[in-house]
Every structure is written in structure tokens, then in C-alpha cells.
Amino acid sequence: MKKLLFPILFLSFLYGDQQKTTLSLKQIYYDKSKAETEFSGSTTYQVKQADLNTKLVVEYLYNSEHKKQYIYINEAFVTKEFKNYSVTVGKVIQYWGELEGYNITDVFNQKNYLYDPLNKDKKLGSWALLTSRYVGNNTFEIGMKFFEGDQKYPKNSAPFYPFTVGYENGLAGKHSRWNPTFHAKYSFVTDDIVESETSLIYQQGFDNKRAISLSSNNKLTQSAYKSKKYMIHSNIIKGDTIVKLEAAYTDVDDDAPVSDYQQVAVGIEQNIYNIMGVDTSVHAEYYNYQYKNKKQENIDISELYNNDVFLAAKLNFNDADSSEIKVGILYDLDTSEQILKAEVQTRVKDQVILHGEVMHIVNSTKSIASNFKDKTRSNIDISYNF
């Protein structure tokens, strides 16, 4: 497959009709740990024709501390369009979900925890084959991931490292990583009584989470295990209000060290337009996470969203500089743990964006966030797009 793909993708480097690069320089400060300087970026090459799309995305990171550095080919795929269906093969990223705080159904790709364990949108591409059949506005998709990748975290000296001891980035477990993972997804829309979009997903193969165990060298070993997942994500739109749902039930193989578990999240988004020239969106969401029994817990970042309420607001100033402010809080109803975050962003020149962010964690005693060495992180970064 790679022998066929790479000559086509190489042409994207030379003749891409859409090329985009983003370079970012960031300074990061913590309440206890040493400040970090971080350089990151991505370069995208894309060739689009009437029925053929090729895309190549290279991502890179260098951090002055904790050996956080990489260069990834994160996407590299070819899509062929036919009359009523399409076929995609290569390294792809999928986005499954509706909610703002966290997407419990977004399990196709591994998260890029090496970049930032708390950034839900940073993901690692997966080698896969996808076939989609279109019937009106509805889509039926069948997909296969060819193998399971490693789940990587930064060194245990990193301020937001989520465990108490070191972590082996190599994959273990009794199943070979080369066992494929399959999914079927049916997406449909309605616009008769209410306007809505819904996706029903079944996935069988490796779970997106990892079981962990302590090895003889006193490091955590990640073990891949198999499961069946039944998922739904949906939204209903009524005027300026959007009601959202995500739910997943994971039927874990009996011999796995993790039990069956279920996740449910509901939310509402209210959009308010042109109040003194400012557009505002307000989000209120609730998350619940339950294991069938307690074999292993607090082994994944997603478990932060367990009987939690997420509240957030975004202000878009609609000015020439595309200025916006975001504020949010994740509040645990059981422990009163709070994760507070504020962001501000503006364009200082046509291709230059200035961004700042502050995050603070309060009353963290039982969740995976209690293992973080620092509770406050602030950063300012400047990015250049061309």
C-alpha cells in the first residue's frame, strides 16, 4: 500500500495546488516547574481534482524541556470520488462528536498526549481504508484501521504528566498490533419537524484506551485490549439553540484487565448574535462515566469527565483582527475539583496571530489530574501562517 501511496503523495509536495504552513513560537510558564520554550507547526500539501483528492500533513514540535520533540507525517491519504460513493486509503484523521468540552465518541484516532495531555483536538493519524456510500444527505461508512499505534506521553518529569511513575511508550498486550479494527457508521439528517444530524457507530477491535501495569523496571506498561463499542452522537438545532448528545457503551473482552464501561454526555449551546457588535456562544454540558466493575480506573484522560459539569462562553468581536475570548470551567460534582481555563486571541497582522491562555486546577485530590506536578499553566504564543 505504501509503495503505491508515497509516489502519489510525493507529487503533492511538488505540485500541491493548496499549500499551507503554520509556525508557532510559545512561551509556557508553570507555578512550580521551569518555564518552557516551544516551537511547533504544520505543513499541508493538497491536490484536488474533480474526483481525486490527495493530502499530506507534516507536524513538528520542539520543546526546550522533557525531550518533547517530533516530526510526524500525520496525514497522508488519497480519496477517490465516484458517483454515489468514495474510497479513502492512507493515514487519516476522523472527527466524531458534537460537544465542546470533550468528545467521548471521538475514538478513531489516538490523542497526541505528547503535545498536550489536555488538548482534545490534537490527534495522531491512523493508517486505514474507508469506504463511504451516499444516499441523499445520508452516509453509510465502513472503515478498517490496519494496525494499532502506540499511545505516547511526555516524560514523567513533565508538569502535566498524568501518572506517578514513568510510562513505556511501546505497545504491549497479548494481541498483535497488526490485528485490524473495523467500524460501521451511519450518518443521517432530518429537516422535517426538527433540524438534526445523527451518527450511529459500531466499532470492533482495539479499544482507544489502554490497560496499564507496573513492569519489573518500575515503569507503567500499556496493554492494548479488544472491545466492541456502540456509539451515538447527535444534535438538534432550533433557531439559535443546539441540543447535543454523545453516548458510548464499551463491551470489553472478558480477559481484559479493564471492565465494561459506559459514557453519556448531554449539552446545550445558545448563540446570541450582534450584541453591541459581539457574537456570543454559551455552552452547558454534563458528563457521566461508569465502569461495570472497578478493575482499573484513572488510566485515561477521558476519566476526568465523570459526573462533571462543563460551562463555557465564547465571545467573537467580529472585528478586522478576528479577536475572540473563551472562558470555561469543568466542575466535578463529587469532589469539587475544578479546571478553569481562559483564552484570548487576536490577529496582529494578516498572517500573524497572537494567542494567550491560562489554566488553573483547584481541589484535585482523586482524579488523574491530582498527579500533575503543577496546577497552574499560562502561555503566550505567536503564530505565522503562509
Side-chain angles (χ1 to χ4, degrees):
M1 180 189 69
K2 292 182 181 180
K3 291 182 179 179
L4 175 64
L5 275 175
F6 282 127
I8 299 174
L9 293 166
F10 178 69
L11 294 176
S12 297
F13 267 109
L14 299 179
Y15 304 109
D17 59 1
Q18 295 183 29
Q19 301 183 26
K20 179 182 178 182
T21 295
T22 298
L23 303 177
S24 177
L25 184 63
K26 181 186 296 185
Q27 190 69 24
I28 310 171
Y29 301 94
Y30 301 94
D31 54 323
K32 296 179 182 177
S33 299
K34 183 180 178 181
E36 302 169 1
T37 300
E38 184 173 279
F39 170 78
S40 63
S42 66
T43 300
T44 300
Y45 299 88
Q46 193 164 10
V47 177
K48 283 188 176 182
Q49 298 177 354
D51 57 357
L52 188 68
N53 177 28
T54 64
K55 186 176 182 181
L56 181 69
V57 179
V58 181
E59 296 187 3
Y60 26 93
L61 172 75
Y62 174 80
N63 187 293
S64 61
E65 306 294 328
H66 317 296
K67 295 185 178 180
K68 289 174 60 177
Q69 48 193 281
Y70 58 74
I71 299 177
Y72 289 152
I73 297 179
N74 210 31
E75 294 180 76
F77 64 82
V78 177
T79 297
K80 174 66 175 176
E81 297 282 353
F82 299 91
K83 183 178 180 180
N84 294 316
Y85 66 96
S86 67
V87 177
T88 299
V89 62
K91 198 172 190 182
V92 298
I93 290 179
Q94 296 260 73
Y95 290 91
W96 297 347
E98 303 289 344
L99 282 93
E100 186 76 10
Y102 193 84
N103 301 116
I104 61 179
T105 57
D106 194 18
V107 299
F108 182 84
N109 302 98
Q110 288 290 336
K111 297 290 191 291
N112 188 350
Y113 292 140
L114 190 59
Y115 179 86
D116 181 359
L118 294 179
N119 189 324
K120 72 180 181 71
D121 297 320
K122 279 290 185 178
K123 298 191 287 189
L124 302 174
S126 299
W127 288 98
L129 172 66
L130 308 173
T131 301
S132 298
R133 178 74 164 88
Y134 309 112
V135 182
N137 293 324
N138 305 335
T139 305
F140 181 69
E141 176 184 286
I142 296 177
M144 177 181 69
K145 287 199 294 184
F146 298 119
F147 62 92
E148 190 67 12
D150 298 332
Q151 189 179 80
K152 297 182 179 181
Y153 284 94
K155 291 181 63 177
N156 59 341
S157 59
F160 277 23
Y161 179 74
F163 304 112
T164 56
V165 297
Y167 188 87
E168 296 281 1
N169 284 325
L171 190 63
K174 73 173 190 176
H175 301 289
S176 168
R177 71 166 69 236
W178 297 100
N179 289 335
T181 297
F182 300 92
H183 76 265
K185 178 184 178 186
Y186 179 58
S187 301
F188 60 94
V189 300
T190 65
D191 54 11
D192 298 330
I193 301 175
V194 293
E195 183 180 350
S196 70
E197 299 178 355
T198 301
S199 291
L200 305 173
I201 308 169
Y202 171 74
Q203 178 175 288
Q204 180 172 338
F206 285 112
D207 196 17
N208 58 300
K209 290 174 53 175
R210 295 286 185 264
I212 58 174
S213 58
L214 194 63
S215 65
S216 57
N217 62 351
N218 201 35
K219 285 190 174 183
L220 295 177
T221 299
Q222 57 169 306
S223 297
Y225 59 89
K226 291 193 172 185
S227 68
K228 302 179 185 67
K229 278 185 175 289
Y230 307 87
M231 296 175 284
I232 180 174
H233 62 81
S234 181
N235 68 63
I236 298 174
I237 303 172
K238 184 67 173 178
D240 296 331
T241 304
I242 307 175
V243 179
K244 305 176 182 181
L245 166 71
E246 293 185 34
Y249 181 81
T250 304
D251 181 5
V252 179
D253 284 3
D254 292 339
D255 59 351
V258 176
S259 78
D260 297 353
Y261 59 97
Q262 63 186 26
Q263 301 158 276
V264 178
V266 293
I268 186 168
E269 174 184 338
Q270 181 65 50
N271 294 289
I272 306 167
Y273 297 103
N274 198 24
I275 302 297
M276 298 181 67
V278 178
D279 293 343
T280 303
S281 60
V282 180
H283 304 263
E285 299 170 357
Y286 172 75
Y287 295 83
N288 187 270
Y289 197 125
Q290 293 184 0
Y291 280 104
K292 186 176 180 180
N293 57 60
K294 296 183 179 181
K295 289 184 179 180
Q296 286 192 6
E297 291 184 291
N298 284 336
I299 57 174
D300 191 78
I301 295 294
S302 62
E303 294 180 61
L304 282 172
Y305 295 80
N306 182 11
N307 198 26
D308 281 51
V309 172
F310 174 75
L311 302 174
K314 176 183 176 181
L315 282 70
N316 187 332
F317 290 88
N318 294 315
D319 57 0
D321 297 325
S322 302
S323 303
E324 62 180 34
I325 295 174
K326 298 178 184 178
V327 293
I329 178 173
L330 181 68
Y331 184 85
D332 191 305
L333 297 175
D334 291 326
T335 66
S336 297
E337 177 184 87
Q338 303 163 49
I339 301 179
L340 303 99
K341 186 176 179 181
E343 296 180 68
V344 60
Q345 179 173 293
T346 189
R347 190 182 304 275
V348 294
K349 286 192 175 181
D350 286 346
Q351 297 169 293
V352 180
I353 295 175
L354 186 65
H355 172 265
E357 176 185 304
V358 178
M359 178 184 294
H360 182 59
I361 302 173
V362 181
N363 292 333
S364 181
T365 56
K366 296 182 179 180
S367 77
I368 200 168
S370 65
N371 297 326
F372 294 166
K373 296 177 178 62
D374 290 74
K375 304 304 179 185
T376 302
R377 181 181 71 184
S378 59
N379 60 261
I380 184 167
D381 59 276
I382 188 167
S383 60
Y384 176 58
N385 301 280
F386 59 95

